[in-house]
Amino acid sequence: MVVAALLTLVLIAPVPLHPADEPTMQYILHVPPGDAPDDGWGVVFVLPGGDGSADFAPFVKNIAANAVPNDCLTVQLIATPLNPGDNTVWPTEFLLPREPERQAFTVEQHIAEARAAIAAEHALDDAREFVFGWSSGGPACYALLLDEDLGIDGALIAMSVFYPGWHQPIDRVDGKALYLLHSPQDQVCRINLARNAERMLGDAGATVEFQTYNGGHGWHGDIFGNIAAGLSWLDEQAD
């Protein structure tokens, strides 16, 4: 299944935002077939792991087809290529000052501008806006969930780390939904960090669901089924 996903041909090119000034702020949009829902499209913003590049487009296209609810748009954000010495794939408002020469925008700005561009073409349901990230994409998803201005309703975070000092105050998660997916055998991102997120954000008022899978760091087992379960759960919390 993974090999098939990697070989899928993607015909959708990345969309640049402000191409003259910020050519690396890009996204790829997947729109399900059929008419728009009466209440507008839900949205799943995807922040891939690894280098967060457009190379993940075939995999995200399969996620859109096999795991995202059919009344939701899938928006793959594309990270700025890393320079030698860089170590943060998705710089947030808290982490960008540590790498001031890396890029002129944060992931918060990236998602806000992508959303504005998409909303100009598609009616959106602002009660069903989710972020989904794995590995290096996870810390930014926590930051997006905790950002009061963005209004993200829930997050699916897989095989990633959680450090409270990297984000806004965690009490901003009150009333939001968080689905954590992690392998107990993960030696790259230890599961105890995800368990800390479960405990701390749950205590701060989030509705949290924690599911495990076998195999260690990376996608293993029923990949799309596991992602679909997480996104479906987030969608249920938004009802």
Side-chain angles (χ1 to χ4, degrees):
M1 182 180 295
V2 176
V3 173
L6 294 175
L7 295 178
T8 300
L9 179 63
V10 173
L11 302 178
I12 302 174
V15 177
L17 296 165
H18 305 301
D21 301 321
E22 298 166 353
T24 57
M25 192 187 292
Q26 299 179 322
Y27 67 91
I28 296 175
L29 173 66
H30 299 271
V31 182
D35 297 332
D38 292 340
D39 294 333
W41 294 103
V43 187
V44 178
F45 295 97
V46 181
L47 283 70
D51 63 0
S53 70
D55 292 344
F56 284 95
F59 182 48
V60 176
K61 182 179 181 182
N62 276 279
I63 290 172
N66 297 295
V68 175
N70 59 14
D71 57 353
C72 289
L73 306 176
T74 303
V75 184
Q76 177 190 347
L77 301 186
I78 299 173
T80 301
L82 290 170
N83 296 317
D86 285 344
N87 56 24
T88 303
V89 176
W90 299 99
T92 68
E93 289 181 1
F94 273 48
L95 294 181
L96 186 62
R98 303 180 190 178
E99 301 179 8
E101 298 180 359
R102 162 74 187 285
Q103 63 187 47
F105 59 88
T106 65
V107 67
E108 290 90 346
Q109 293 169 316
H110 194 165
I111 199 170
E113 297 217 23
R115 185 195 185 283
I118 294 165
E121 302 292 334
H122 302 275
L124 304 181
D125 181 356
D126 60 10
R128 300 171 63 231
E129 297 191 12
F130 312 113
V131 290
F132 165 39
W134 63 91
S135 197
S136 63
C141 286
Y142 285 114
L144 294 168
L145 185 65
L146 292 167
D147 189 291
E148 293 179 319
D149 295 329
L150 291 175
I152 297 298
D153 301 292
L156 166 55
I157 300 175
M159 62 185 92
S160 192
V161 298
F162 172 76
Y163 297 113
W166 286 9
H167 315 103
Q168 302 280 5
I170 61 174
D171 59 2
R172 298 182 180 185
V173 80
D174 186 30
K176 297 190 176 184
L178 174 63
Y179 191 100
L180 296 169
L181 182 63
H182 215 101
S183 171
Q185 298 85 32
D186 194 330
Q187 299 299 308
V188 177
C189 299
R190 300 294 183 124
I191 195 171
N192 67 296
L193 297 175
R195 288 295 187 188
N196 287 342
E198 176 189 28
R199 175 180 54 82
M200 294 178 67
L201 297 182
D203 288 347
T207 301
V208 184
E209 178 75 7
F210 199 113
Q211 292 294 328
T212 61
Y213 64 93
N214 291 320
H217 194 75
W219 290 111
H220 303 280
D222 185 5
I223 298 171
F224 300 116
N226 287 338
I227 296 172
L231 293 175
S232 176
W233 182 88
L234 289 178
D235 211 18
E236 291 173 1
Q237 310 315 304
D239 290 341

